[in-house]
Amino acid sequence: MVQNIKLSLKYSTIEEKDIMKYADEVAEIHEELHKKSDDPNEFLGWLNLPKDYDKKEVEKIKKAAKKIQSDSEILLVIGIGGSYLGARAVIEALTNNFYNYLPKEQRKTPQILYVGNNLNPEYVNDLINLIGNRDLSINVISKSGTTTEPAIAFRIFRELLENKYGLKEAQKRIYVTTDSKKGALKQIAETENYTTFVIPDNIGGRYSVLTAVGLLPIATAGINIDELLEGAKFAQGKYLDRNLKYNDCYKYAVMRNILYKQYKNIEILVSYEPKLHYFIEWWKQLFAESEGKEEKGIYPTGAEFTTDLHSLGQYIQEGRRNLFETVLYVQEAMSDITIRQDEDNLDELNYLVGKGLSYVNKKAMQGTIEAHLEGEVPNIVLSIEKLDAYNLGHLIYFFELACAVSGKILGVNPFNQPGVEKYKTNMFRLLGKPEYVEANNKKEDKKQEKKVSKRQPKNKEGTKTKNKKYIIK
Ligand code: PA5
């Protein structure tokens, strides 16, 4: 089962010797991460998770997934950011392209639908209509237990569930994934006696896909979570080598930083697999929240080829030269379709007769890499053998570790996200959340005081006089 991710430098414009200049720095970062991995305050729980995961919890997840499969046509996953994207990334990558649209008999496992990742009323109303009368379970996921988007969605759909099944049955259909001790969601779960799964204290949202956060929805969709964890475990062992020469994960982290220093401050994760759409979304969140701070960081974005070659492709080829691409190349297609002879050949495609679509896709990729490189867009190519649970588990660990190391090379803390709070503070103030309104009033008062004291006339000594601002002599 041992499969590898291959990193190719060929189209990257970077030479091995330039990567090796970072060998000492990377070895130090490796030491630091591994030394602190058991420290509960360091958010490094994901580092040893594939080997050390809570086996009992995983058994409980499998049991819950079986129950949901047996009594529900739909699993509604409520969460946002790291509490949502990982599950969706894996489910969409490893199930049929049209999984949610398949007839029930063909799909065999529940439809997985998502809510609580936006605040759009039409989305929620459409979802309520889509669910209709069908049997439903809910997995609400929030580490803090207080995030507004999932909290509102949970309030709405919990009520829907209680109205549909009555309190007792609804209780059995709600699965809560949250912190072990704190947060409003934890409190609700305790009061209502919901089945609860724990997000370990030392694992942040975007590093949590291999905990219950991702595993319960993933298992419910019929995906083998043992294989996913096995692939991640293989990666954990493989990237334990602090020697940069033999560690492709660390090399990828270094290559990003080398390109960044060459003013290539936008990285596009490219895939030729439509199923990887949400994997790209997961990757974007992982790197953006980890690295985008202190006015630094590569802006992570994604492109899906060949469709985006007919939109973003123009910019990539000839726009501002501050881009590089990381191509996720899946070597083996899971199925293929052969192009057949057409007598008339009016579409002039007979030169492709006998070729598989996967062959055409591969040639499109080769042609694009060459073209973009010619257009001064370096391409890092990451190849995986095929899109299965084992390889995906490997890839998840690869990117998590690369992200942590890359952030450290950049000189930021890859495990916090202070910037996310700013919009929340404003939103809460505008919505009239009491403590935010009070805090804002205090802030305004202080501002006012400052303005007033600045306007105070100065005395002979040049210091401000107290309370004399309106006395004109
Ligand atoms: O990666 C992160 O930490 C964030 O994206 C969180 O996952 C996201 O904000 C949701 O937070 P919570 O799980 O507390 O609801």
Side-chain angles (χ1 to χ4, degrees):
M1 177 78 85
V2 173
Q3 290 156 0
N4 275 317
I5 292 177
K6 283 197 200 105
L7 170 82
S8 167
L9 274 57
K10 193 170 169 191
Y11 308 98
S12 70
T13 69
I14 299 171
E15 288 184 37
E16 179 88 19
K17 66 173 180 5
D18 295 318
I19 297 177
M20 290 312 295
K21 288 179 188 155
Y22 286 76
D24 292 343
E25 188 180 347
V26 165
E28 260 173 48
I29 293 170
H30 172 98
E31 287 299 322
E32 183 199 332
L33 291 178
H34 283 275
K35 218 191 274 166
K36 291 179 178 166
S37 64
D38 290 332
D39 187 333
N41 304 315
E42 287 292 340
F43 288 105
L44 280 164
W46 54 272
L47 198 59
N48 294 326
L49 178 86
K51 283 190 181 159
D52 295 350
Y53 68 85
D54 183 341
K55 314 287 182 293
K56 268 195 192 154
E57 181 87 342
V58 169
E59 285 316 308
K60 190 174 148 194
I61 289 169
K62 287 184 193 164
K63 222 172 122 192
K66 279 223 170 85
K67 179 177 178 299
I68 300 167
Q69 287 169 349
S70 71
D71 67 11
S72 302
E73 211 181 308
I74 294 164
L75 172 68
L76 193 57
V77 177
I78 303 180
I80 195 166
S83 287
Y84 144 72
L85 284 165
R88 191 161 191 178
V90 175
I91 291 168
E92 302 218 348
L94 299 180
T95 57
N96 186 296
N97 275 292
F98 305 100
Y99 178 81
N100 271 337
Y101 305 99
L102 289 175
K104 201 165 119 190
E105 318 72 58
Q106 233 175 303
R107 202 180 47 242
K108 296 196 178 87
T109 42
Q111 257 183 341
I112 313 290
L113 302 175
Y114 306 89
V115 71
N117 55 71
N118 62 54
L119 290 165
N120 187 282
E122 203 177 335
Y123 182 96
V124 175
N125 277 322
D126 287 351
L127 184 60
I128 292 171
N129 287 332
L130 178 72
I131 292 168
N133 239 342
R134 294 181 297 157
D135 281 319
L136 172 76
S137 288
I138 290 175
N139 180 199
V140 54
I141 310 164
S142 175
K143 183 163 184 184
S144 62
T146 53
T147 308
T148 312
E149 291 90 337
I152 293 177
F154 185 46
R155 183 182 275 215
I156 295 168
F157 284 94
R158 186 179 149 200
E159 189 189 328
L160 185 141
L161 208 69
E162 288 171 353
N163 289 342
K164 181 175 163 73
Y165 293 104
L167 274 183
K168 268 206 159 162
E169 178 59 20
Q171 273 175 350
K172 293 183 197 153
R173 288 174 174 270
I174 292 175
Y175 301 84
V176 173
T177 308
T178 191
D179 190 87
S180 62
K181 296 178 229 41
K182 52 183 194 305
L185 189 57
K186 175 72 189 164
Q187 265 183 350
I188 299 175
E190 269 176 9
T191 316
E192 300 292 335
N193 215 8
Y194 297 143
T195 305
T196 307
F197 297 93
V198 172
I199 310 175
D201 287 350
N202 58 351
I203 300 185
R206 57 193 175 275
Y207 293 84
S208 70
V209 51
L210 298 175
T211 70
V213 169
L215 294 182
L216 179 59
I218 293 169
T220 305
I223 293 161
N224 188 329
I225 55 173
D226 290 331
E227 274 179 27
L228 191 72
L229 288 163
E230 206 45 47
K233 186 173 154 190
F234 171 72
Q236 186 185 332
K238 185 174 158 67
Y239 304 120
L240 208 54
D241 194 338
R242 83 203 59 195
N243 189 340
L244 187 54
K245 195 169 170 34
Y246 306 109
N247 195 319
D248 279 352
C249 176
Y250 291 173
K251 275 188 187 168
Y252 169 62
V254 169
M255 287 168 86
R256 304 176 76 247
N257 278 279
I258 291 176
L259 292 168
Y260 179 61
K261 284 188 182 155
Q262 296 168 2
Y263 302 101
K264 303 284 186 192
N265 62 341
I266 296 177
E267 178 178 12
I268 310 171
L269 187 68
V270 168
S271 153
Y272 289 75
E273 308 286 327
K275 281 179 168 189
L276 287 179
H277 174 86
Y278 270 94
F279 191 82
I280 294 175
E281 293 303 308
W282 170 81
W283 173 91
K284 274 160 61 177
Q285 194 237 352
L286 176 65
F287 279 86
E289 281 197 348
S290 299
E291 290 194 319
K293 46 199 78 156
E294 297 174 32
E295 300 187 4
K296 295 195 246 185
I298 295 167
Y299 182 81
T301 185
E304 287 157 59
F305 293 165
T306 58
T307 190
D308 283 335
L309 288 173
H310 298 257
S311 65
L312 298 174
Q314 171 59 38
Y315 190 104
I316 298 170
Q317 193 66 50
E318 296 182 341
R320 254 192 92 181
R321 302 297 72 195
N322 59 342
L323 316 168
F324 69 95
E325 289 170 295
T326 296
V327 181
L328 258 186
Y329 168 42
V330 180
Q331 290 167 307
E332 231 177 80
M334 293 307 240
S335 73
D336 212 347
I337 186 155
T338 308
I339 298 163
R340 288 210 289 252
Q341 177 82 21
D342 181 278
E343 286 294 296
D344 302 330
N345 194 29
L346 291 176
D347 52 13
E348 297 177 0
L349 287 174
N350 274 354
Y351 75 102
L352 291 174
V353 168
K355 299 280 192 292
L357 202 51
S358 70
Y359 171 85
V360 182
N361 205 18
K362 246 172 234 177
K363 293 296 162 202
M365 184 189 81
Q366 281 171 6
T368 306
I369 291 174
E370 284 170 22
H372 289 180
L373 184 63
E374 220 172 282
E376 291 170 44
V377 177
N379 270 244
I380 299 172
V381 181
L382 284 175
S383 316
I384 64 168
E385 281 183 47
K386 55 182 166 188
L387 211 47
D388 59 12
Y390 187 88
N391 273 292
L392 210 63
H394 184 161
L395 203 55
I396 286 168
Y397 190 88
F398 177 97
F399 279 130
E400 285 178 350
L401 182 57
C403 182
V405 172
S406 180
K408 291 273 175 189
I409 296 173
L410 188 67
V412 297
N413 175 357
F415 308 118
N416 64 5
Q417 57 283 334
V420 179
E421 294 310 310
K422 190 66 197 155
Y423 97 91
K424 291 187 195 167
T425 312
N426 288 348
M427 177 178 75
F428 291 145
R429 172 177 49 79
L430 293 167
L431 285 170
K433 195 171 179 177
E435 59 269 37
Y436 286 81
V437 175
E438 270 164 39
N440 189 59
N441 289 346
K442 276 188 192 154
K443 216 167 101 186
E444 285 300 316
D445 286 350
K446 271 199 181 147
K447 256 194 211 164
Q448 211 49 42
E449 271 171 29
K450 263 193 187 165
K451 259 191 204 163
V452 165
S453 67
K454 263 189 193 163
R455 274 195 264 129
Q456 283 176 16
K458 289 178 181 163
N459 58 21
K460 275 183 202 156
E461 286 80 43
T463 53
K464 279 176 191 158
T465 50
K466 264 189 188 168
N467 304 324
K468 286 188 181 166
K469 55 189 186 297
Y470 300 122
I471 304 170
I472 301 163
K473 287 188 180 166

